Amino acid sequence: MTAGTLIVIAKEPVPGRVKTRLQTEFTPAEAAALARASLADTLAAVRATGVRRKVLALDGDSTSTPPGFTVVPQRGGGLDERLAAAFEDAYAGTPMLLVGMDTPQVTPALLRADWTEYDAVLGLTEDGGYWCIGLHRPDARALLGVPMSTDHTGADQLARLQSLGYSVLLLSRLRDMDTPADAAALAMTYPELRTSRLHRRLQHTAHPSLLFDKALEGAPVVATGSDGRTVASLSAVDRWQAPADAVDRLALSRCEGPVLDIGCGPGRIVTALAERGIPALGVDISAQAVMLTNERGAPALRRPVQEPLPGEGRWGSVLLMDGNIGIGGAPEALLRRCAELVRPDGLVLVEVDPDDDLDDTAPIVLRSASRHSHPLPWARVGSRAVLRYALAADLLATEDWRADGRAFLTFRRCSTAVASTPLRAARR
């Protein structure tokens, strides 16, 4: 005897409400898309069984009904209550098998398992839960009060069924898709699934800002150039998150307030300026960077530098630290923007690549353990190229200095007051 009714219990794939553990590597929208693909794979397996009565117990908008399914809204508070209600609402006088939406690899053969000689059926998962449960008729005693979403839920559910005197057939143990590692493993093992095809596309199309945010949260992320080699200056997350070091402080000693720090990251520079009593504002496109800067007690604004900014034309100094001269992949355009932001005779301080001859405007790629970003426009430029770009942007070089392997240039907006200022070189 196989189930006469197959029930899929599912949550509407709304970004931010489903698969939150996937969001360590994926955006809420991407996690929701993976959940949607997993549900589609599960529904396809259910259809392929040939079972006539198919029910979708849905938490969410039920206006769109999958072909061949009867949709019933979920009832109850906790998952145990909703499972019990799903069995009650789907019962039509024949045995029922309920399956979740998190095991897209489930097969029609598994769903057609013969449990004629058993009172119940249970399929455990590798993380300690279970992917399916079958009953001949609704029995709230079998479900209510079983702890859900733990690493022993499956064992507890089995114990509950056995305590009621039920004989239980155990089906194959499956892996839930809860974490990025789960998603990657399922994609590798079951490449034909919709979920797997989507995962492969997402692996190489991460938005760079997502991976940058994950790096600031502690995930291992590196930047690589067009040659595949790691770009050290763009992978120094530990230094960005630490307090300003001696070289940073040396750079900040040249600043005239107020200061605008473009690409402020987690805020070490803005914080150090505040500690010196110098008014400063950080600007970054990363929500995580702005949050971390604010948590340090320093002001920051989430906005691209190309968009309107507070105090345009009145900043005493504009900073491009940590290789941020590369933002956008167009150094001359960025320097022109800096010249617009500073006041007349204002200072622009740029950290350049220590290789004086470097002039690489090829995009970079951010890489985490399981994802690659799409190419990010960036430039890696040394002092000679930056001097050339700055001249075209009407910025006059006033100092070229080095310290502990890092290289800096300072500029002022061209004016008669500074036109004769010589370029000074300093080494440390």
Side-chain angles (χ1 to χ4, degrees):
M1 175 185 63
T2 60
T5 298
L6 287 176
I7 309 166
V8 178
I9 188 163
K11 180 181 289 186
E12 183 186 3
V14 175
R17 292 190 64 235
V18 294
K19 293 297 167 197
T20 54
R21 282 190 282 172
L22 286 179
Q23 292 175 34
T24 57
E25 288 282 347
F26 300 94
T27 67
E30 289 170 339
L34 286 166
R36 189 175 300 109
S38 181
L39 176 58
D41 283 324
T42 304
L43 295 178
V46 170
R47 288 192 191 96
T49 62
V51 173
R52 293 184 62 184
R53 180 165 169 76
K54 299 177 284 292
V55 176
L56 176 62
L58 183 64
D59 175 11
D61 183 5
S62 59
T63 56
S64 178
T65 302
F69 282 79
T70 298
V71 176
V72 298
Q74 291 184 26
R75 297 187 292 111
L79 180 56
D80 58 332
E81 294 179 6
R82 286 180 277 133
L83 291 173
F87 277 109
E88 291 176 0
D89 295 341
Y91 187 54
T94 59
M96 299 166 288
L97 180 67
L98 180 148
V99 61
M101 61 182 283
D102 298 337
T103 49
Q105 75 274 34
V106 68
T107 64
L110 275 174
L111 297 173
R112 287 196 303 261
D114 184 354
W115 42 294
T116 305
E117 299 179 0
Y118 296 86
D119 301 312
V121 62
L122 190 66
L124 302 177
T125 55
E126 294 180 7
D127 63 359
Y130 61 90
W131 61 271
C132 78
I133 182 170
L135 299 171
H136 285 275
R137 61 189 60 83
D139 187 351
R141 300 173 304 160
L143 294 155
L144 295 182
V146 175
M148 296 289 161
S149 303
T150 74
D151 59 4
H152 50 80
T153 293
D156 291 341
Q157 183 63 75
L158 178 60
R160 173 65 66 85
L161 293 170
Q162 292 173 335
S163 73
L164 295 172
Y166 284 4
S167 58
V168 182
L169 173 65
L170 290 177
L171 298 183
S172 299
R173 191 180 298 266
L174 298 183
R175 182 169 186 165
D176 271 341
M177 187 186 69
D178 287 328
T179 67
D182 295 332
L186 291 175
M188 181 175 294
T189 307
Y190 307 96
E192 74 287 353
L193 297 173
R194 292 176 179 83
T195 309
S196 303
R197 294 197 296 270
L198 175 60
H199 184 270
R200 286 194 293 274
R201 291 198 299 272
L202 293 178
Q203 270 186 308
H204 305 288
T205 58
H207 194 283
S209 63
L210 170 69
L211 294 186
F212 181 69
D213 285 353
K214 298 308 176 188
L216 294 179
E217 293 170 2
V221 176
V222 298
T224 60
S226 56
D227 55 6
R229 296 181 181 179
T230 298
V231 182
S233 63
L234 299 178
S235 306
V237 179
D238 290 344
R239 180 165 63 81
W240 302 343
Q241 293 176 325
D245 60 21
V247 179
D248 295 328
R249 292 192 296 272
L250 190 60
L252 301 187
S253 68
R254 291 159 162 81
C255 289
E256 302 164 2
V259 179
L260 181 67
D261 183 16
I262 297 174
C264 65
R268 84 178 191 283
I269 297 300
V270 183
T271 304
L273 287 163
E275 291 170 352
R276 289 170 173 255
I278 300 174
L281 173 69
V283 174
D284 207 295
I285 62 170
S286 163
Q288 183 71 8
V290 170
M291 182 189 74
L292 291 172
T293 301
N294 293 157
E295 287 179 351
R296 283 177 155 173
L301 179 66
R302 186 185 182 193
R303 189 172 300 175
V305 65
Q306 297 84 0
E307 293 186 4
L309 293 170
E312 295 209 11
R314 300 193 302 273
W315 293 98
S317 303
V318 171
L319 304 184
L320 291 170
M321 299 285 286
D322 302 317
N324 284 338
I325 180 63
I327 291 173
E332 181 179 331
L334 182 56
L335 288 170
R336 287 187 184 278
R337 179 63 175 136
C338 292
E340 293 172 352
L341 292 167
V342 292
R343 65 193 177 208
D345 299 345
L347 181 143
V348 177
L349 189 149
V350 183
E351 183 170 359
V352 300
D353 195 277
D355 180 353
D356 289 341
D357 296 319
L358 184 63
D359 187 7
D360 184 355
T361 56
I364 61 171
V365 174
L366 301 183
R367 302 173 186 271
S368 70
S370 60
R371 301 194 71 185
H372 299 168
S373 75
H374 58 69
L376 172 66
W378 200 268
R380 291 180 289 158
V381 285
S383 60
R384 289 189 176 88
V386 173
L387 287 168
R388 184 173 69 253
Y389 292 131
L391 185 62
D394 293 326
L395 289 171
L396 180 68
T398 58
E399 189 177 16
D400 173 357
W401 58 282
R402 313 291 169 101
D404 293 343
R406 295 167 65 184
F408 299 84
L409 291 170
T410 55
F411 302 90
R412 291 193 183 273
R413 281 179 56 180
C414 290
S415 73
T416 56
V418 296
S420 60
T421 304
L423 176 66
R424 294 184 292 114
R427 297 290 187 273
R428 179 182 169 190

